[in-house]
Amino acid sequence: MPRTTRITVMLLFAAWVVDYIDRTVINFALSRIGEDLHLDHTQQGLLISTFFVAYAAVQLPAGLLADRYGAMRMAVIGLFAWSIFTGLTAIAWSFTVMLAMRFLFGLVQGVFPAAAIKALAERSHPEHRTTATGWTNASNAVGILLAAVIAGILIPTVGWRIMFAVISILGVAVILAWKRWMPDPLPQPEIQVADAPPAAERRAVLRSPALLGFAVIFFGYDALIWGVTAWTPTFLQEERGITVAMVAVAAAPSTLAAAVGVVLGARLSDRLGGHPRIIVIPSMAATAVLLFALPRVDAFPLFVILGTTMTFIAGLTLMPAFSVPLRALPTTYIGAASGIILFGGQLAGVLSPLAFGAITDHASYTRAFELMAVGPLLAIIAAALVPQTAEAFHASVAPRIKAALPAIEGSSNDSRDMSTGR
């Protein structure tokens, strides 16, 4: 990869680490927050899900804003604003206030992902984009690990409120690093999906079943990740009697394995030139099997081993959800395209933690873990159906672009007639 790409990866890696610390540290504080604010499991799940309601809702608008106003500008706005709301979480005095804080936090943090993907695409070549994006997404696991360490140290010593106040300053440090070291974009090759005006091409691609299929893969992956990640700390504390500190220690191998899986899945995707079904189908099938085993394991060390294996295998699936669109699409609207795929994952983030908590209240943790297997099943189906290469993606959307051209040309002719009086 060019030096510009490597520097961008490092700087975005730092931002994503802060992103995941700020959004996932609540998972480790959920039990204490529940005690302080007198919340049941469904309400605790709603605190996780309300973040994703806002986060998901803003994905497509955020991608459009990044395409229009610039990726780095929108990324800085998002990072600064979410740092403010991370700090304000510390003052929440009721369930309603905490719910509002989490919603606003999700709204402003949701501006960041599509902008970050676009910023990296502008500073990398198409054949390297999936690998480069995989490296930045490996930061997610690092952020979760650091969130566990921070929570394990600060919650027992100073409490969850002070913890949120402390971590809110991390985003400012990243913004200062961006201002100092972020390189300019690289010259990009011209990529045209079809012989059509750019507006027609963009509209047809963003509405295509092919792109929606990749959003479904990401939905399936995130339904598993956010349901299990959000509730495993509370499950271990309530069902196995494990302390917060021990949960934090146990999170280390699992999150590091996830990071390795993400990078490996990205690298394989670039080597294969796409072909997501080769990676997604076997990895998601194995993950679904492990979901049924996890809640039935009583020995804590074995639980950690199985959980680590599962997160590694699941991590392989993350970047194949983006691999073909990143190779196939021009940077001019890759922000909006990424926003659509990201929306699929964040919609899963809305549904799976809430469903996990509700099923735990009305049935059991075991049934809740089993429900998460719906995500891998959906990812498998979508991976089998989506275009497997950039060329196949172009071929799949070309008829839609062609079908849209008469309407666009007619509209243009009408406008000319009106302007000339003919």
Side-chain angles (χ1 to χ4, degrees), residues 219-221 223-224 280-281 283-285 287-288 291 371-381:
F219 177 96
Y221 167 82
L224 161 72
V280 173
I281 292 176
S283 63
M284 285 288 97
T287 300
L291 275 173
L371 176 71
M372 295 300 103
V374 172
L377 177 61
L378 290 173
I380 288 170
I381 294 171

Side-chain angles (χ1 to χ4, degrees), residues 68-84:
R68 181 168 183 176
Y69 295 108
M72 288 308 304
R73 178 181 297 176
M74 296 310 302
V76 168
I77 290 172
L79 180 48
F80 181 74
W82 97 57
S83 297
I84 291 175

Side-chain angles (χ1 to χ4, degrees), residues 216-238:
V216 173
I217 295 176
F218 197 45
F219 177 96
Y221 167 82
D222 261 0
L224 161 72
I225 293 301
W226 286 116
V228 173
T229 300
W231 280 102
T232 293
T234 305
F235 166 76
L236 290 173
Q237 291 173 62
E238 293 184 352

